[in-house]
Structures are given as C-alpha cells and as structure tokens.
Amino acid sequence: MTDTGGAGVRAAIGEMGRILGPHADADWTVPAGTLEWSCWTTAAHVAHDLLAYAGQLAGRPADGYLPFDLRVSPTATPAQVLTVVAACGGLLATAVDAADPNLRAWHFGPCDPAGFAAMGVAETLLHTHDITRGLRVDWQPPAAPAAAVLTRLFPDAPPGPPAEVLLWMTGRAKFDGRPRRTSWTWQAALT
C-alpha cells in the first residue's frame, strides 16, 4: 500500500485483520499497549473513527462533526469487532473513492478525501500497533503506508524509517535519541 486513497484504507484494514484475526481468542480486556483502553475498546474506536470519516465525506459538513455515533454491542466478540472495523473501513474506502477530490468536509477545518483516507489509515495502523502491544504480538506498521500517512498528515516529520517515525510522531515510541512525545496532533485540514 503506497497511497492514502480508498485502496490504502482497504489495505490497512486487511492488514489489521491479518495480524489480529489469528488472536481473536486472546484476552482483549487487557490494555492496548500504553493506552488506558482495552484492546476490544481500541478496536471499536477504530470502527467508530472510520465510520465518522465516511459520514463526513458523505454529509460534507463545513463546521463540525455530524451528530451520530457508532455503538458496538458490548457482547461482540473480538472477531465480531474486527468485522465491524472491516465494514466501517469499507464504507470509508467507498466514500473516498466516490468523492470528488475537490470535495471538502470538516475535520478541524476543510479536509479533502485524501485527508480522511490518511486519517483512516493512520487510525487503523496506529491502533493495530497498540492492540498488538497489548496482546504481545510482534508487529510494526508497514513502511509504505506509514510513509504515506507521514507525508499527508505530518509534514514536519523528521527523516527516518517511516514506521519508527510514525510511532514517534504519535507518542508511541522514542526515536533517534529523542524522547517519547507527550502531545501531538496531525494536520488533516488543508490550509
């Protein structure tokens, strides 16, 4: 995956399922890496964000998020939550592919379809990383999608291996002698 369009979203969702699917019988009540959320809650959060981004593209609001929310049944198994993530990712990918590249919708300012796709890829890869830490699975985001996310959302990222830089930019790791970041934000809105 080298882009942050619909294909990039689909590839990130596929990677999440490939890595986490075999561990669906593990204990997903444990914290997801350094997050306070459980692995289950973190996966449900990914689904929520993917659906919210799809909704923004479809609804095209100019000044805030649409007033709807995703509720994943608390009785859903980890495998079922991953299916919800895949469904929401499919909706985002379809919305990105169908959108005019000049369309703008609100994400703390006017954001284009590529920005929503990049955020979807970022949420998926970063939270897959968090969940793998919680489940004690050795995994890092693939280099190509990490580089695409850095290019679109973190224009001030330092040079270096894309996965390591992405994890540092989002406060998940130290990088190149730099301490772990305690606050960060990405730039999805166009200026």
Side-chain angles (χ1 to χ4, degrees), residues 98-133:
D100 182 315
N102 296 313
L103 178 145
R104 299 295 180 261
W106 191 87
H107 180 81
F108 302 97
C111 186
D112 63 347
F116 282 104
M119 290 188 295
V121 171
E123 288 285 343
T124 303
L125 295 178
L126 292 167
H127 288 312
T128 296
H129 180 266
D130 297 331
I131 295 167
T132 60
R133 300 287 77 77

Side-chain angles (χ1 to χ4, degrees), residues 3-15:
D3 72 63
T4 53
V9 173
R10 287 182 187 90
I13 297 302
E15 178 69 2

Side-chain angles (χ1 to χ4, degrees), residues 7 10 17 27 38 43 91 104 123 126 128 149 151 166 180 187-188 191:
R10 287 182 187 90
D27 179 6
S38 70
L91 291 170
R104 299 295 180 261
E123 288 285 343
L126 292 167
T128 296
V149 166
T151 298
L166 180 60
R180 187 179 190 149
Q187 180 61 45
T191 55

Side-chain angles (χ1 to χ4, degrees), residues 65-78:
Y65 265 92
L66 296 173
F68 75 94
D69 205 356
L70 172 68
R71 179 185 170 276
V72 178
S73 172
T75 62
T77 66

